[in-house]
Structures are given as C-alpha cells and as structure tokens.
Amino acid sequence: MHEAVNKPLSRAWLRERSELGVSAVLVALGVLVLVDAIRIHTDFAQRGPVGPKAVPIVVGVGLIVVAALLARDVLRGGRGEAEGGEDVDLSAPADWRTVLLLCGAFLANAALIGVVGFPISGAILFWGAAYALGSRDFVRDPLLAAGLSVATFVLFNNLLGVPLPGGPLVGMF
Amino acid sequence: MDSFNNLLEGFATALTPTHLALAALGVLLGTAIGVLPGIGPAMAVALLLPVTYGLEPTGAFIMFAGIYYGGMFGGSTTSILLNTPGESASVVAAIDGNPMARKGRGSQALAAAAIGHFVGGIIGTVLLVLLAPTVAKFAVDIGAPDFFAIMVLAFIAVTSVLGASRVRGFASLLIGLTIGLVGLDEMTGQQRLTFGSLHLADGIDVVVVAVALFAVGESLWVAAHLRRKPGRPIPVDRAFLGREDWRRSWKPWLRGPVIGFPFGAIPAGGAEIPTFLSYVAEKRLSKHREEFGKGAIEGVAGPEATASASAAGTLVSMLTLGLPTTAVAAVMLAAFQQYGIQPGPLLFERESALVWGLIASLFIGLCLLLVLNLPLAPVWAKLLRIPRPYLYAGILFFASVGAYAVNADVFDLLVMFVIGVLGFVMRRYGLPVLPAIIGVILGPAAEQQMRRALQLSDGSLTGLVNTPFALVVYGIVVVLLLWPLLHRLFRKPTPPTEASPEPERPKVDA
C-alpha cells in the first residue's frame, strides 16, 4: 500500500515500533552489567566456588537475550499493552508538556530541599505538580501547598522524629 | 494449642491502647488511601512507610496490617462506585458491583463487599494461625538449595503466570535483579554497579525503588494520559443488606476463602486469578445465572471474600519463608528489613511477640473495618471526587518525603526520579511492575542462598538439586516454563493459515 508505512526504518515504521527502544535500553543495561562484572577483581577476595561475578554475568546475558526476544516479538507484530487505570485515558495522545512540567516540579524539590528547606521546597513541589496537572486556582493551590508542606514537616520532624531539613525559615524561630 | 496460647498473648499485645489506636489509624488511612483512585494497597503501604519510621516495630506492623486490609476494602469501593478498578484484586468486583450501583443498589454492593472481606479475612487469618507455625517448623529444616529453589519458583511464577506477555515479564524481572545488584557484594565486599559512588555502595534502598516504581511511575504515567473529565462516582447511602441479599450472599462468602487462601499462599501473584475463579464458580452455582454481569450480588460477595482470604494466604509465605508473592507483601517485607528483621522460618521463634501481635491485630483490624465501613460508606464515596491535580501532586509530594526520609539524602530523590521514569516506560510498554519489585527484593537473597548452597557442595552444581524438596520445586518450575509448549502439543492442530506472516499477528509469547 503506502510505501512510507511499510518501508523499514522510515519514521512511521519506527513510530509504530517504538517498543524497540525498550529492547535497546535492555541491551545497554545488559552490556553495562557485563562490563561492570568483568571489571570485578576476584583473585584475592573470593570466598567459595562462586564469586561476585557469576550472578551479574547471568543477569547481563539474560538482559541481552530478553532484549533480542522482545525485538523479535515487536517485529512480528507483538505490542506491549499500555496500562489502563481509573484516571488514564488511553484514547488521547501522550501529553508530554504535563509530564515534563511534573518532572520539573519533582526535580525542583530535589534541588532546593537542601537550600531553602523542606517546608518551602515541598510547597513548590506540590504547587508545581498541581499546576502541571491543570489546577489553576491561584489562591487555593499555594495555600494548600504551604499548609500541607508545613504540616508534614511538623508531623515528621517534631512528632515522629524523622528529621527533614528546616532551612533558614525554621532557624529564625 | 501452642499457637492458641501464642495468639492470646498476641491479643494482649495488640489490645494495649496505643496498639489499638495504631490499628484503627491504619485501617482508616488504608481505606482512605485505597478508595483514592490511582492508589492501590501496595502504593499505600509504600507511601506510609516513612510514617512508621518513628514507631517501634510491633506498633509499625500492627499499623501495616490495618493499612493492608483497609486498602483492599477501599479498592473494592472504587471498583463498585466508579467502575474503574485501581488494582488487580478488585477488577472482578466491578463486573457486577458497578451494575448494582447503577441500579441504585450501591449500598447493598458495598455491604456485600465489606462483609465478604470480613468473612474472607477472618477465615483466612484463622487458617494463617493454624498453618503458619507448622510451615515455619517445617521450613526451619530446609536449607540453602531449597530456599534458592523456592525463590526461582517465585521469579518464574510472577513472570509466567501473570500478565499477557512472558518476555515482558522477564524483562521486568531482569531490570529488578539489576537494581538489586547495585552495592557491595554481601559475601566479599566487592563493589558492583556502583561506578565508584559512595551513595550507591550501600545499594539502592528497597523503599526508594518501591515508591519510585509505584508512586512516581504511576503519577507520570497518569499525567501523560490524564482523563480530563474523571468518571462520576455513584452516590450511596449507608451500606446495608436486605433479607434476600443475605440469603444469596452467605454461601459465596464461605466459598470464597476456599479458593482464595491457597492461591494467596503459593507464589502465583496474588488475588487476580482466584477472584476470577471465584466469579466463574459463583456464576455456575447460581440460580440467577442470567443476572451475572448485570448486578448479581453473588458476583460481588464471592470474589471479595476470595480477595481478602488470599491476602491472608500471602502472609503465610511472607512470614514463614520470607517470600513475598504480591506487591503489597513485597513492600511489607521491605518494611521488615528496615527494622533489621528477616522474615523466615526463625521469625516465629525470635520475634514471637511481634508476629503474634501482628496476627492478632489482623483480627482486630477486620472487626474495625466492618464496624467503620458499613456506616462510613458515603464518606468514602466522597473521596472519589478529589480533584485529580491535588491527588497526584499529593502522591508525588509524599513519595518525595518517603524517599528523602530513608537516609536524609538528596541523592535518593534523584535515584527515585530515574527509577520513576523507568516505571513510566514500563507502564507505556506493558512491562508489569510486580516482577521488577520481586527481583529487587528477592534477587540479593536468592544470590546468597545459591552461593551458600554451592559452597556446601564445593562448587558442584549438584549442590543446588540435592534435596527432594528442591527437585519437586524445580519440577514445578519446568512445568510452568513449558506450559505454553505443552498447551500447544495437546491442542488440536490449527489450520495452516496461521503460518502466513501477517502484520496483525497476536502477541507472540516467547
């Protein structure tokens, strides 16, 4: 039929078989595990007949074999079934903007938690994530974020004895 | 009678005011989180792990028991009122539960589910009390090769029995095993996959992996495909049953545990299969077969009792063998390890007070659930209306708290992010999450057992198969592995048209 659809390695062909990317990741992971395993020195530290190399080698080889089988399955028309769920609408195309914003909110917390402390970075995480997911209430969202963050901080740090970084704000009290 | 005395002592532990309060808190939190869409019991337990860091182990596990059973109950509420089950155990409950709710019989469906959970849970827990000490006593004598065989069986069972595609199950398992390799080798202290990083030398904390795969992966996945108009839950009143409902439900309640408990105890991955079997059985036995699929109460009562009993069965292998067969059990095992307690045959001897306190609190939790959930059903139903941005923002928020609290280290947040992205990719391409988490948790233990067995046999591979028990287990493994092949052999030969290479060929099971 359409030449573009059936031609191997054309853009549409690859898009249809994007799962081959999973195979590529598995191969990369397998090679990584194998290279790391070979670099382990066992001459002085080995206790017992099986050293620390054996299992990584099995796992590495397994990863590569499974990657090949998966690629075969995909090329024969097999497709992994995307996971459904209560709030998942698979009929719509993937919304990358939301995903990236969400990742940004998550990483912002990781970057800021040591600098400004958890009460602030946690609030940024919550507000940012809610914003990314489409909440646009500029009064309720930040208030909720701040309230949740401070309450969680007090609950963990002061009541449960699980330390969280307070940051400069808490130092002032 | 020994276990009866132990159980009484367990009740003495569990009935102290603090522990009772923790059980009630666990039940409430578990139900609330279970009702929330998108959060199953496994994620509930993983997210609530940090809350228990400040508690002593007995209290923590009493709370977990509540969360576990509460989460299962909450899941069926979502199924019935929204028709979109959040976890595998409550898929079947939606088939008849949701039509009941749409006919205005939501209260009855919820009551049938709640009482079903209660009955199934009580029967399952009684069986746990009777069986677990015996299994533990037997398991004390089994050695490294046997343990290794059981773990291999667990690996093969979670990848082969569940899910649509074996090759994807194995891919997931191997990813988990790889994550489990990171850190210092326990026997020699050699660094593996640490890339010289001190943070990685301690290994990746199981809690971080669990929260990343369940919570972060799920949030990112939902974000990519967020339903802009969430389904509207059907409002309900207090849950109750009429006389006719009682008459039709009591037998399914009692039959469910018979199917559920054994399936929970073997490593075949939880409640998915037994709930389905129970549904089929009830349909076949029912006098109202035509009602099935349109709102037959038996179709709710039976599977829910089954699910609850299978949860109790899961605890048998988790507590006595240290073998998690479901995602929740895997996360609970991780929680045990947090406290430096290794579930296994010796647990009943060494941590007798803790185990029996935990078991007693299962009974207490079930009673609390029944008392709370029948009147509270309308309140739980309201939780289904939570705005989705807040829900998933909250999940990410608590996931971050949990991962950070493990070691107070930002590095863990970054690891969680990477594994979370992995969880996203796995959901996109149909790689099941359970084999990965089982691989992370059981992988290192399996390696130790294997190397110990080979040490004993001086490196000869026969050291892995020199007990009858191990041979039987490997026999089961072989049957599981060859099942598709055997199936093909005994099926009638299909017409040769299948041989033509079609692009739309159904999934190839490799």
Side-chain angles (χ1 to χ4, degrees), chain A residues 18-19 36 41 45 47 49-50 52 55 73 79-81 83 86-89 92 95 110 140-141 160 165, chain B residues 38 78 84 168 187 190 192-193 221 224-225 227-228 388 390 392 404 410 427 429-430 451 454 507-508:
Chain A
S18 59
E19 202 176 349
D36 184 78
H41 300 286
R47 293 211 333 249
V50 179
V55 172
D73 184 37
R79 292 288 177 274
E81 206 178 312
E83 194 181 271
E86 286 132 331
D87 294 329
V88 173
D89 180 8
D95 178 359
R140 194 172 62 171
D141 292 359
L160 290 170
Chain B
T78 324
T84 42
R168 290 172 180 82
M187 279 193 170
Q190 295 275 13
R192 293 196 296 196
L193 292 174
W221 176 235
H225 291 278
R227 204 182 285 281
R228 292 298 163 183
R388 296 306 186 262
Y390 292 158
Y392 291 99
Y404 187 85
V410 178
R427 283 175 172 78
Y429 290 108
R451 285 161 72 177
L454 288 175
K507 224 162 264 162
V508 183

Side-chain angles (χ1 to χ4, degrees), chain A residues 15-20 22 25-26 29 32-33 36 39-56 58-60 62-67 69-70 72-74 76-96 98-99 102-104 106-107 109-111 113-114 118 122-123 125-127 129-135 137 140-141 144-145 148-150 152 155-156 160-165, chain B residues 34-39 50-55 75 78-79 82 84-87 164-165 167-168 170-171 174-175 177-178 181 185-188 190-195 216 218-228 230-231 387-394 396-401 404-406 408 410 413-414 416-417 421-422 424-433 447 450-451 454-456 458-460 502-510:
Chain A
R15 183 179 294 254
E16 179 67 16
R17 290 161 186 77
S18 59
E19 202 176 349
L20 290 174
V22 177
V25 171
L26 291 174
L29 204 59
L32 186 74
V33 172
D36 184 78
R39 285 176 49 204
I40 300 173
H41 300 286
T42 48
D43 34 337
F44 64 95
Q46 179 150 349
R47 293 211 333 249
V50 179
K53 274 184 180 184
V55 172
V58 171
V59 171
L63 279 165
I64 292 170
V65 170
V66 163
L69 290 174
L70 183 63
R72 191 188 72 157
D73 184 37
V74 173
R76 284 179 167 192
R79 292 288 177 274
E81 206 178 312
E83 194 181 271
E86 286 132 331
D87 294 329
V88 173
D89 180 8
L90 289 174
S91 56
D95 178 359
W96 293 110
T98 305
V99 176
L102 207 59
C103 292
F106 185 90
L107 291 174
N109 173 52
I113 192 167
F118 178 79
L125 165 62
F126 186 89
W127 191 12
Y131 180 89
L133 291 162
S135 185
D137 191 324
R140 194 172 62 171
D141 292 359
L144 199 65
L148 183 69
S149 200
V150 170
T152 307
L155 174 72
F156 276 84
L160 290 170
V162 180
L164 291 172
Chain B
V35 170
L36 286 176
I39 310 184
V51 179
T52 59
Y53 286 166
L55 298 173
T78 324
S79 258
L82 262 183
T84 42
E87 28 116 18
S165 159
V167 66
R168 290 172 180 82
F170 275 109
L174 285 164
I175 290 172
L177 290 174
T178 307
L181 280 177
D185 172 41
E186 270 178 58
M187 279 193 170
T188 63
Q190 295 275 13
Q191 301 206 0
R192 293 196 296 196
L193 292 174
T194 61
F195 311 106
V216 181
E218 178 78 11
S219 303
L220 293 176
W221 176 235
V222 170
H225 291 278
L226 185 62
R227 204 182 285 281
R228 292 298 163 183
R388 296 306 186 262
Y390 292 158
L391 173 64
Y392 291 99
L396 277 183
F397 177 86
F398 284 108
S400 300
V401 174
Y404 187 85
V406 177
V410 178
L413 288 178
L414 299 177
M416 182 164 84
F417 180 74
V421 171
L422 192 70
F424 171 84
V425 173
M426 289 170 73
R427 283 175 172 78
R428 165 66 183 80
Y429 290 108
L431 267 57
V433 175
E447 184 186 1
M450 180 198 73
R451 285 161 72 177
L454 288 175
Q455 250 172 4
L456 293 175
D458 240 351
S460 160
E502 290 169 51
E504 287 288 303
R505 226 182 114 131
K507 224 162 264 162
V508 183
D509 244 7

Side-chain angles (χ1 to χ4, degrees), chain B residues 438-451:
Chain B
I438 296 274
V440 176
I441 290 174
L442 280 189
E447 184 186 1
Q448 295 309 312
Q449 298 289 1
M450 180 198 73
R451 285 161 72 177

Side-chain angles (χ1 to χ4, degrees), chain B residues 130-280:
Chain B
L130 295 176
L131 264 178
T134 319
V135 176
K137 216 169 279 170
F138 163 72
V140 169
D141 295 328
I142 72 175
D146 308 306
F147 269 115
F148 181 65
I150 297 176
M151 287 169 183
V152 171
L153 173 64
F155 290 150
I156 302 300
V158 290
T159 45
S160 298
V161 178
L162 299 169
S165 159
R166 278 184 168 202
V167 66
R168 290 172 180 82
F170 275 109
S172 167
L173 173 69
L174 285 164
I175 290 172
L177 290 174
T178 307
I179 296 173
L181 280 177
V182 176
L184 298 181
D185 172 41
E186 270 178 58
M187 279 193 170
T188 63
Q190 295 275 13
Q191 301 206 0
R192 293 196 296 196
L193 292 174
T194 61
F195 311 106
S197 156
L198 276 181
H199 293 290
L200 287 176
D202 288 338
I204 301 175
D205 199 283
V206 178
V207 176
V208 175
V209 181
V211 174
L213 282 178
F214 289 116
V216 181
E218 178 78 11
S219 303
L220 293 176
W221 176 235
V222 170
H225 291 278
L226 185 62
R227 204 182 285 281
R228 292 298 163 183
K229 272 190 190 159
R232 292 195 68 78
I234 301 159
V236 278
D237 295 330
R238 261 183 86 237
F240 73 98
L241 287 179
R243 180 189 284 268
E244 170 72 5
D245 298 320
W246 280 100
R247 209 180 51 71
R248 288 177 57 175
S249 299
W250 71 271
K251 278 188 204 153
W253 285 333
L254 292 179
R255 275 193 290 258
V258 179
I259 304 171
F261 186 81
F263 266 94
I266 59 169
E272 206 166 302
I273 298 168
T275 46
F276 183 72
L277 286 179
S278 159
Y279 184 81
V280 174

Side-chain angles (χ1 to χ4, degrees), chain B residues 372-394:
Chain B
L372 286 174
N373 282 333
L374 291 180
L376 282 181
V379 180
W380 298 133
K382 285 214 178 70
L383 274 181
L384 293 172
R385 295 169 178 271
I386 185 173
R388 296 306 186 262
Y390 292 158
L391 173 64
Y392 291 99

